[in-house]
Amino acid sequence: MRILMVTSFPIVGQTDGTAMLAIQVFRALKRRGLDVAHAYLKLRRPWDVPFEGEFEGSPSFTLTPSRWISGMAEIRKRFPFDLVHAEHYGGATRALAACELNKWPMIYSIHSLLGEEVERDRLGRGLVFRTYRTLERRVCRYASGVVVLGHGVKKIVVEEKGVPSDRVAVIHPGVNLADYTPGPAAEIPGIAPEHKVVMYVGNIRDPNQGVPILIDSFPRVAEAVPEARCVLVGGPSEVGEAYRQQLGRFGDRLIVLTGKTPDEITALTRRADVLVHSRLACRENDSVQTKMAVYLASGRPIVATNYGDYQHILGDTGAGLLTPVDSEALADGIIEVITDANLASRLAAATRPAAEEYICMDRNVDRYLALYETALRLGPRRRTSKAEAMA
């Protein structure tokens, strides 16, 4: 089986969560022996010349808007793929016309719900958003299969977007667990051996990630455990400085580390006494974020707010302590974990089995392959005429 992965963002040299989600899938498919190529359908700088390169030994193409259709057709001649795996609504909407014209099966992998929370803030409600919304509706009517990152998203895709349930697969973000082997913890400036490290990894600005709840909770933690230190691994740095000012007299106990590579993040998580994800209860968070794969793979105790699939991934498995979406409750959960060695040990011990069940890419790739086989057997849901595809 040959797969063309299509994205609306570059993956070469990228380390952010959105790109890493696609990269992990790409790598897992290759480890399983599939031929995989990549096409970056870029929108900005449309005057640029299309480019052919490589990503980790596989073909990688960059196509400008005028070449999205013809360029994908040329790729098909040189790399006769069986289906298109489109990451994010950007990749899916940009690849749609080519897929419709050529009747290529498409798998649409939904990272975030279009128009919800952060996406709403980015796109507004103007022409760009309305165009994306119209095209994404066509994607959902056409796609042979849809990948979602949480059961809540599947419910929305089935009930609101009209995709048959048997064409929607819940596959949580995954990592290659072989990359997470025991090793030394990274040294963190300002952190001494006696300090209790409360760590968050990821974007610290997007409100749905819940970092403000963690910041609101930290004074309560610091009062109860004076040796506690809060470490935010992510950016942007100016947001971290604003959080430091917000903490007042506890501001010197906040450390913000930006620009870290995946390998550096792995070493940093080894120093965490507790990893925290205080995400909000909103539809955007019906998708499980990539950071949870990193958290589970790290083998460290986890405290998270109880929303969406975290009940299954953390609560039912015993891999995390869940709290209400509330700063005081979160603080109490953090305090409980960093002051109770037995509890911390139990949580940490449960992370590996949970990781193997939910976020191991070697297992997740079986789920992708099953969806691919269904997509190839059933084909696109709605076959369109050439005139409709060009509309």
Side-chain angles (χ1 to χ4, degrees), residues 141-290:
R141 290 195 299 268
Y142 179 85
S144 304
V146 177
V147 176
V148 295
L149 306 182
H151 288 87
V153 182
K154 178 173 182 176
K155 185 173 187 291
I156 292 169
V157 168
V158 171
E159 294 180 359
E160 299 181 17
K161 298 181 183 290
V163 181
S165 179
D166 62 349
R167 294 215 188 208
V168 184
V170 178
I171 307 177
H172 296 113
V175 295
N176 181 13
L177 293 180
D179 294 337
Y180 291 81
T181 56
E187 292 187 5
I188 302 174
I191 296 296
E194 68 272 14
H195 288 150
K196 298 290 186 180
V197 174
V198 179
M199 184 178 290
Y200 164 87
V201 177
N203 188 298
I204 67 175
R205 174 161 52 193
D206 289 347
N208 67 304
Q209 297 296 330
V211 178
I213 297 177
L214 173 58
I215 296 300
D216 288 344
S217 75
F218 188 68
R220 186 181 179 94
V221 175
E223 289 279 9
V225 185
E227 62 271 27
R229 297 293 184 271
C230 183
V231 177
L232 305 180
V233 183
S237 57
E238 63 270 17
V239 176
E241 184 57 35
Y243 287 145
R244 185 174 289 107
Q245 296 300 318
Q246 180 182 333
L247 284 171
R249 65 189 180 92
F250 297 111
D252 61 347
R253 304 186 194 186
L254 174 66
I255 296 168
V256 181
L257 304 174
T258 62
K260 300 302 179 182
T261 67
D263 287 343
E264 289 171 330
I265 290 172
T266 298
L268 286 166
T269 58
R270 297 189 187 115
R271 181 60 185 86
D273 292 281
V274 60
L275 291 165
V276 180
H277 192 195
S278 48
R279 64 182 190 163
L280 303 183
C282 59
R283 279 166 52 121
E284 171 71 6
N285 285 335
D286 284 339
S287 294
V288 174
Q289 282 90 18
T290 306

Side-chain angles (χ1 to χ4, degrees), residues 20-177:
M20 287 306 300
L21 178 58
I23 289 169
Q24 290 288 357
V25 176
F26 191 98
R27 290 171 174 168
L29 293 172
K30 289 187 63 178
R31 287 198 301 272
R32 191 57 64 90
L34 275 70
D35 289 330
V36 190
H38 168 247
Y40 165 35
L41 306 186
K42 65 179 295 184
L43 182 61
R44 297 180 179 178
R45 296 180 60 86
W47 55 84
D48 283 352
V49 177
F51 174 76
E52 179 180 348
E54 63 91 22
F55 175 69
E56 299 183 352
S58 295
S60 180
F61 306 89
T62 299
L63 302 177
T64 53
S66 64
R67 298 294 304 279
W68 289 350
I69 296 175
S70 61
M72 287 183 66
E74 290 178 14
I75 292 172
R76 179 70 166 73
K77 292 176 182 177
R78 297 171 53 187
F79 180 84
F81 52 83
D82 297 293
L83 61 78
V84 173
H85 177 127
E87 290 281 332
H88 200 255
Y89 62 78
T93 55
R94 296 176 192 182
L96 177 62
C99 289
E100 287 180 324
L101 281 169
N102 296 283
K103 304 298 186 285
W104 297 327
M106 175 195 284
I107 296 295
Y108 171 28
S109 182
I110 298 178
H111 290 207
S112 56
L113 288 166
L114 176 61
E116 295 296 329
E117 313 305 336
V118 173
E119 296 303 323
R120 179 182 61 215
D121 292 340
R122 289 174 180 158
L123 297 175
R125 282 295 183 266
L127 179 61
V128 172
F129 169 75
R130 293 196 300 271
T131 301
Y132 268 124
R133 183 176 60 182
T134 298
L135 289 173
E136 199 222 18
R137 286 172 177 168
R138 281 175 51 182
V139 168
C140 289
R141 290 195 299 268
Y142 179 85
S144 304
V146 177
V147 176
V148 295
L149 306 182
H151 288 87
V153 182
K154 178 173 182 176
K155 185 173 187 291
I156 292 169
V157 168
V158 171
E159 294 180 359
E160 299 181 17
K161 298 181 183 290
V163 181
S165 179
D166 62 349
R167 294 215 188 208
V168 184
V170 178
I171 307 177
H172 296 113
V175 295
N176 181 13
L177 293 180

